[in-house]
Amino acid sequence: ADGPRYWALYAPDAVFLGTDATERWTLAQFKAYAEPHFSKGKGWTYKATERHVDIAADGSYAWFDELLDNAKLGQCRGTGVLRREGPPAEGGSWRFVQYHLTIPVPNDLAEALAEQVRALNEKD
């Protein structure tokens, strides 16, 4: 729930994609959503259990995917793109330009879940 530390990891033009299809937030929108939680000392805890990172040949971007464990949602997946800001020779700082949090659905459940989502969307 350390807002200033957390937000410093994002580029000003970052986009956060949440688990719900409606959650495509600019950094300002994501801050507006999360800050009330952070201000109460609450946040979300995701523990990485596996991570794969690739870096562009010129060192300016990196992309990754990770498996995460969360007490409420169970296994989740995060994917993202980071941009190196500042001179690479000086190390620069990696900042998120996109992060996407998902809940992986086992193939055996996918069709039934898709039907439930479709039915819910048709109600709206």
Side-chain angles (χ1 to χ4, degrees):
D2 183 348
R5 183 172 164 227
Y6 183 71
W7 301 124
L9 300 172
Y10 286 86
D13 56 341
V15 173
F16 184 94
L17 303 166
T19 57
D20 189 286
T22 65
E23 297 173 339
R24 186 190 190 279
W25 292 320
T26 64
L27 182 59
Q29 292 167 328
F30 187 38
K31 279 183 177 181
Y33 168 76
E35 274 301 328
H37 299 281
F38 287 174
S39 68
K40 295 176 188 168
K42 298 180 187 257
W44 301 269
T45 301
Y46 292 87
K47 182 179 181 342
T49 58
E50 184 178 321
R51 184 174 288 144
H52 306 275
V53 180
D54 292 289
I55 300 175
D58 68 359
S60 60
Y61 283 89
W63 54 95
F64 66 93
D65 62 272
E66 59 189 4
L67 291 178
L68 307 162
D69 187 52
N70 176 268
K72 179 179 175 184
L73 300 175
Q75 187 178 60
C76 295
R77 174 176 289 136
T79 60
V81 178
L82 300 125
R83 179 174 59 221
R84 187 185 300 246
E85 298 186 348
E90 296 173 19
S93 296
W94 290 104
R95 300 278 190 264
F96 288 100
V97 290
Q98 185 181 81
Y99 187 80
H100 189 182
L101 179 65
T102 63
I103 303 169
V105 176
N107 288 334
D108 290 346
L109 301 177
E111 189 174 338
L113 181 59
E115 287 177 24
Q116 291 178 26
V117 171
R118 203 172 3 263
L120 184 62
N121 288 338
E122 288 172 359
K123 287 181 185 177
D124 294 338

